[in-house]
Amino acid sequence: MRNKIKELQKKLNKLGIDQYVFKSFNDENLLLIGSPNITYYHLVEITFMRVDYINCPMNLWTSGIIRLATNDERKLYNSQTQIEDEDLMIIVEDSFGEIFFIVCEDFEFKFID
């Protein structure tokens, strides 16, 4: 899983993608889209599957980092999220250093050509 998120972050950095907004939440799946200029188009779609918990702004935000939570972060937010060992905790750090997160079972991403 770490390689998957590192691959995502590397491509986000390469394309200069730093603006995000949630597009939809259907059943248990949450769709996040991103772009260098989200007002006009998007270049990536990140789908979080079987979402258990969301701690993120629902409107546009700017972020340079999407990563897996550290063990300390998982422990810190455990009482709030009741995260299970098999759950992923995806951290999104905004441009001001605020930490937001999504708890899910899996995620996938695709880049739009």
Side-chain angles (χ1 to χ4, degrees), residues 43-57:
L43 295 177
V44 66
E45 296 178 353
I46 306 169
T47 303
F48 301 96
M49 296 171 285
R50 293 171 300 284
V51 173
D52 290 328
Y53 193 92
I54 304 168
N55 176 342
C56 286

Side-chain angles (χ1 to χ4, degrees), residues 25-54:
F25 190 31
N26 300 324
D27 297 320
E28 298 176 326
N29 298 330
L30 179 65
L31 176 62
L32 177 70
I33 60 173
S35 171
N37 190 342
I38 200 72
T39 303
Y40 298 105
Y41 62 95
H42 70 277
L43 295 177
V44 66
E45 296 178 353
I46 306 169
T47 303
F48 301 96
M49 296 171 285
R50 293 171 300 284
V51 173
D52 290 328
Y53 193 92
I54 304 168

Side-chain angles (χ1 to χ4, degrees), residues 55-67:
N55 176 342
C56 286
M58 297 311 288
N59 295 322
L60 169 71
W61 81 90
T62 303
S63 172
I65 300 172
I66 296 178
R67 61 177 175 80

Side-chain angles (χ1 to χ4, degrees), residues 13 23 47 57 63-64 68 88-89:
N13 291 345
K23 183 74 172 172
T47 303
S63 172
L68 292 176
L88 296 177
M89 184 175 187

